[in-house]
Amino acid sequence: MGNLSSCSCCQDCFGKRSRNGLYEPLLQENERDAIAELLQFLENRSRTNFFEGEPLRALSTLAFSDNVDLQRSAALAFAEITEKDVRQVGRETLSPILFLLQSHDVEVQRAASAALGNLAVNAENKLLIVKLGGLEQLVRQMGSPNVEVQCNAVGCITNLATHDENKAKIAKSDALRLLVDLARSKDQRVQRNATGALLNMTHTQENRQQLVNAGAIPVLISLLSSPDADVQYYCTTALSNIAVDAVNRKKLAQSDSRLVQYLIALMESKSLKVQCQAALALRNLASDEKYQLEIVRCKGLTPLLRLLKSSFLPLILSSVACIRNISIHPTNESPIIEEGFVNPLIELLSYDDNEEIQCHAISTLRNLAASSERNKRAIVDAGAVERIRMLINQVPTSVQTEMTAAIAVLALSDELKPRLLRMKVLEVLVPLTTSQNMEVQGNSAAAIGNLSSKVKDYTPFVEVWSSPSGGLRAFLIHFLNESQDISFQHIGVWTIEQFLEGNDIQLVSLIEDTPEIIRDVRRIARLAESRAKKTEAGFDEANDEMDGDIYALAKRVANAFSTEKQ
């Protein structure tokens, strides 16, 4: 905006000199008074509130004038004032600005839309502007052939779209279609404002769907190659949000087969925020199997690993979240390990500044171990178990949940069980079976159960029978209690069966010398007989919570106790 302290437009409006040297009156008296007052107020602008009282009345007089020069003066004054002074305003302030938006003069439109955009930074103003019909007028300005007017109108809508109450109204207006069109503008400022507004419309599922229906996807994808970092950022983030919805991921797949390649390239952008959003967009796409495979096929692992090793938290978080989703597909497990992700992921387990990073890192390691003995071995060889054992009692519950689940997966390997037991994992797992978190309890118990199956030496289990935290004895009593969830009782009985099959004399003796264990196993076994009698009598047991498997299991274990006693 130009300097309005001298307000040349106002001075020019006083009149024109005739041949005899006299001014011909061009203005109404109240307009001349308003100009004179406004000039005085502008001279003392630092001490003047233009949003109320005489200053606002002077501006309003010029705004509502039939004289276009006065309207220009008012619009320019509003634009400069609001550039430096943004506050909550009322209808009295917005009405003259909205009136100026209806002018046929391009200069008036440009300055009035700039003023409105400035005021739209304030949350209360955003709502009042739309309530007073500002959205409809801005939509008309978006169709202006003048680039400046387009730019200011779209910029104002960008600000209005940051308020949740306005988003639905914008989505239902003609603004979306125009924003999509203006995103193709050759003017970078218009393009930037339009893509920023489209981004602001992607934060709810309903609005995302309307945006997709308006044809935004191909436009956003085409602008990923824009030379402007802001446009890249807005488009990448908008596409990331759109990819949250499964139905939209299918439409993205149908729109441009090079989308994944574009996003992988943007992970090498000079802009950190673009790199971050590109990784997040790939993370959301990788909710689908198709994209999990495509990202690896298009060589996305190398840039992801570079971001993972960054010292910038947002880059670490976006990349580790992405690799977690990619690691879900069994085919990707080995390529991720071969790319060199294991050690950096183990290091991120200690990243105590961000719980989410720790969760994604351990969840990825668990995924990588899921279907291959070789991969399990690689993870253990890299020191993952030692790091987990060191950290597991210090990390938040959400991370404990993932860590215990990871140990349970590793404990499925017959080859690795002796190593895990030598690493003293039982000493950390046993106390966690009484955690206040049910998932941590269940995962810890499952890990113990997996470790107990088909091992040659049960000495590590004997050593933790009574300690720490009451030891295996307390764990089994706790899980077999009839107040427990049936799945927990099942784990308890199944673990006992593994111990009995292991036939370690000392461990079996410890179990049989614990009356609470014997009692609860027999209680569950008796329920099997009761259930069978009800079935014979014609009672429908379809809704019985007790799973049939646990009955058969409990009967086998109870019979084994009897045999041992004999």
Side-chain angles (χ1 to χ4, degrees):
M1 296 295 173
N3 190 333
L4 299 184
S5 60
S6 61
C7 203
S8 60
C9 288
C10 293
Q11 291 173 340
D12 291 344
C13 290
F14 272 108
K16 296 181 180 177
R17 190 183 296 277
S18 66
R19 290 180 181 178
N20 60 13
L22 301 175
Y23 279 96
E24 295 175 0
L26 298 178
L27 306 177
Q28 301 291 329
E29 185 176 349
N30 68 324
E31 293 172 343
R32 285 197 299 273
D33 292 343
I35 292 170
E37 291 173 0
L38 184 57
L39 286 170
Q40 289 182 348
F41 292 134
L42 288 168
E43 288 292 339
N44 299 287
R45 69 179 64 198
S46 62
R47 299 188 298 274
T48 303
N49 179 359
F50 288 91
F51 302 123
E52 62 183 21
E54 292 300 324
L56 180 57
R57 277 193 286 275
L59 279 170
S60 298
T61 298
L62 304 189
F64 289 115
S65 170
D66 291 332
N67 187 308
V68 71
D69 288 325
L70 293 186
Q71 289 185 348
R72 286 176 182 170
S73 296
L76 286 167
F78 273 123
E80 181 166 317
I81 291 163
T82 56
E83 197 169 278
K84 299 176 180 177
D85 184 7
V86 176
R87 65 180 75 182
Q88 182 180 355
V89 298
R91 180 187 295 263
E92 298 78 10
T93 300
L94 291 176
S95 292
I97 299 175
L98 292 172
F99 178 80
L100 290 169
L101 269 184
Q102 301 175 47
S103 170
H104 296 294
D105 184 80
V106 169
E107 285 303 308
V108 175
Q109 293 175 7
R110 180 185 64 79
S113 57
L116 203 63
N118 292 337
L119 290 172
V121 172
N122 177 275
E124 290 77 10
N125 292 345
K126 297 179 203 287
L127 292 174
L128 187 56
I129 289 169
V130 173
K131 184 178 179 180
L132 295 178
L135 176 59
E136 292 77 9
Q137 295 186 40
L138 289 166
V139 168
R140 284 195 293 272
Q141 301 301 328
M142 288 167 67
S144 168
N146 184 276
V147 170
E148 294 288 340
V149 174
Q150 287 179 358
C151 187
N152 288 348
V154 175
C156 186
I157 286 193
T158 302
N159 289 343
L160 295 178
T162 60
H163 200 295
D164 289 341
E165 290 187 33
N166 287 339
K167 288 176 182 177
K169 295 174 183 177
I170 293 172
K172 292 174 183 176
S173 72
D174 204 30
L176 280 190
R177 180 185 61 80
L178 290 168
L179 286 171
V180 171
D181 289 341
L182 290 174
R184 298 187 182 97
S185 171
K186 294 180 180 179
D187 186 275
Q188 202 164 75
R189 295 166 304 163
V190 174
Q191 197 177 82
R192 189 181 298 142
N193 283 350
T195 51
L198 291 173
L199 167 59
N200 288 340
M201 295 301 298
T202 61
H203 297 123
T204 69
Q205 197 278 333
E206 182 181 356
N207 290 344
R208 287 194 292 271
Q209 196 55 54
Q210 290 170 319
L211 199 62
V212 170
N213 293 341
I217 285 179
V219 177
L220 291 169
I221 293 176
S222 69
L223 290 173
L224 291 176
S225 57
S226 167
D228 185 83
D230 287 330
V231 172
Q232 286 183 344
Y233 171 76
Y234 296 145
C235 293
T236 306
T237 310
L239 288 166
S240 178
N241 292 344
I242 288 170
V244 167
D245 307 313
V247 64
N248 289 338
R249 291 195 292 273
K250 292 181 180 178
K251 292 181 179 178
L252 285 165
Q254 296 163 0
S255 181
D256 193 325
S257 61
R258 296 166 295 177
L259 173 59
V260 167
Q261 296 173 46
Y262 293 149
L263 292 171
I264 289 172
L266 286 175
M267 287 195 290
E268 305 288 359
S269 166
K270 293 180 180 179
S271 167
L272 292 179
K273 66 180 184 180
V274 172
Q275 292 180 34
C276 182
Q277 289 302 324
L280 287 174
L282 289 168
R283 185 273 302 269
N284 288 340
L285 289 173
S287 298
D288 288 354
E289 181 179 295
K290 170 193 181 303
Y291 287 110
Q292 292 165 5
L293 293 170
E294 188 175 349
I295 293 167
V296 175
R297 186 169 62 248
C298 292
K299 304 187 185 308
L301 292 181
T302 300
L304 277 172
L305 181 58
R306 182 182 62 78
L307 299 190
L308 193 80
K309 293 179 176 180
S310 163
S311 59
F312 185 47
L313 189 151
L315 286 182
I316 300 170
L317 179 56
S318 61
S319 56
V320 75
C322 183
I323 201 66
R324 178 207 173 273
N325 279 4
I326 295 172
S327 70
I328 292 171
H329 201 292
T331 305
N332 290 336
E333 292 173 15
S334 293
I336 292 171
I337 289 176
E338 291 162 8
E339 187 69 34
F341 274 87
V342 172
N343 285 323
L345 286 169
I346 292 172
E347 289 303 314
L348 290 181
L349 298 182
S350 302
Y351 202 98
D352 53 12
D353 288 341
N354 190 283
E355 176 180 338
E356 197 174 353
I357 287 176
Q358 291 176 301
C359 276
H360 286 314
I362 186 59
S363 180
T364 304
L365 289 168
R366 183 189 66 186
N367 290 342
L368 296 178
S371 58
S372 162
E373 287 290 314
R374 184 169 68 92
N375 293 345
K376 286 183 177 69
R377 186 167 56 252
I379 291 167
V380 173
D381 288 346
V385 177
E386 288 92 337
R387 186 66 60 93
I388 291 170
R389 189 180 184 283
M390 179 180 72
L391 296 171
I392 200 164
N393 290 318
Q394 306 167 22
V395 296
T397 302
S398 61
V399 184
Q400 276 189 343
T401 301
E402 294 293 338
M403 286 183 167
T404 49
I407 294 177
V409 170
L410 293 171
L412 290 169
S413 167
D414 290 340
E415 176 192 338
L416 293 175
K417 287 175 187 180
R419 288 180 63 184
L420 296 175
L421 290 170
R422 285 197 298 272
M423 292 176 189
K424 306 287 187 182
V425 294
L426 288 176
E427 292 182 4
V428 295
L429 290 173
V430 168
L432 290 174
T433 60
T434 56
S435 165
Q436 292 184 346
N437 182 275
M438 295 289 284
E439 283 190 83
V440 173
Q441 283 189 42
N443 290 345
S444 301
I448 293 170
N450 291 344
L451 287 167
S452 69
S453 175
K454 301 174 183 176
V455 291
K456 294 180 179 178
D457 183 7
Y458 282 86
T459 302
F461 295 93
V462 173
E463 290 174 347
V464 296
W465 178 254
S466 57
S467 67
S469 303
L472 282 177
R473 180 182 184 279
F475 149 56
L476 292 171
I477 292 171
H478 175 58
F479 267 60
L480 291 171
N481 190 284
E482 62 183 323
S483 65
Q484 285 286 12
D485 182 88
I486 187 62
S487 62
F488 278 22
Q489 294 183 52
H490 198 156
I491 292 172
V493 177
W494 186 84
T495 302
I496 292 170
E497 184 176 50
Q498 306 314 304
F499 289 149
L500 295 179
E501 288 181 352
N503 203 28
D504 182 271
I505 296 173
Q506 190 174 0
L507 184 57
V508 171
S509 176
L510 289 169
I511 293 170
E512 294 193 330
D513 287 342
T514 307
E516 296 94 334
I517 293 177
I518 304 297
R519 182 195 64 213
D520 278 324
V521 170
R522 288 175 174 166
R523 171 184 55 79
I524 298 169
R526 283 195 298 272
L527 287 173
E529 297 174 6
S530 173
R531 185 172 184 267
K533 289 178 181 177
K534 286 183 179 180
T535 303
E536 289 175 6
F539 290 101
D540 184 9
E541 289 289 308
N543 295 322
D544 194 340
E545 291 182 358
M546 297 291 282
D547 183 354
D549 288 346
I550 192 175
Y551 293 132
L553 185 61
K555 285 184 71 174
R556 288 200 305 271
V557 173
N559 290 336
F561 285 152
S562 299
T563 302
E564 293 293 334
K565 287 293 183 183
Q566 291 173 4

